[in-house]
Amino acid sequence: HCSLRIVVTSSLVTKHKLSEGLRESLKPRLLERLKSAEAEEVLESFATALTDGPALKRGTQLLFTLQQGNIHLQMGKYAADVKSKALVQALLAIYVDGKAVAPEFKDAIFKGLTRSF
């Protein structure tokens, strides 16, 4: 498995804004893997996992551990799991596919992998 850590750097970030931003990026990638109704169900489960957690503030760390068929979310003492292989693939794709939200992050990942081998 691998982990993705997001650190909140702005006091303007809320659980709702983060959830909506991730939904916007995840939805098209999930629709490549799931039927519309299934994708919506997965997105709702993921949004619930995010919004049920503590309020976000500057410095809050969100740790997404990507396992086969499951995302484990940790925010401080709060933890939640969302079971969906398609969601694991879609969340990773946000950062590494051809439409990556942060191309410089994608480049850094691949440079790091290259050095590892």
Side-chain angles (χ1 to χ4, degrees):
H1 65 268
C2 68
S3 297
L4 172 66
R5 182 173 62 111
I6 296 175
V7 180
V8 177
T9 59
S10 169
S11 58
L12 300 176
V13 176
T14 65
K15 293 186 293 186
H16 178 74
K17 285 181 183 177
L18 179 63
S19 175
E20 285 303 307
L22 286 170
R23 171 187 270 278
E24 187 177 303
S25 294
L26 286 167
K27 188 172 184 175
R29 291 167 173 92
L30 280 174
L31 289 173
E32 293 172 4
R33 296 165 172 83
L34 300 172
K35 293 182 174 156
S36 185
E38 290 173 300
E40 281 302 321
E41 189 176 308
V42 168
L43 287 168
E44 280 305 311
S45 295
F46 190 59
T48 298
L50 282 169
T51 56
D52 280 356
L56 302 181
K57 60 185 181 210
R58 207 171 188 177
T60 298
Q61 294 186 33
L62 293 87
L63 183 65
F64 299 91
T65 303
L66 311 178
Q67 302 162 330
Q68 189 170 345
N70 184 61
I71 292 179
H72 178 76
L73 167 63
Q74 182 103 30
M75 285 189 276
K77 293 179 182 177
Y78 172 80
D81 289 282
V82 181
K83 295 188 184 321
S84 170
K85 183 176 182 179
L87 181 63
V88 172
Q89 294 167 337
L91 185 61
L92 191 55
I94 288 174
Y95 298 97
V96 299
D97 71 7
K99 302 169 277 185
V101 296
E104 63 282 352
F105 179 71
K106 176 176 94 169
D107 294 343
I109 288 173
F110 290 120
K111 282 179 188 169
L113 286 173
T114 303
R115 283 189 217 119
S116 297
F117 294 102

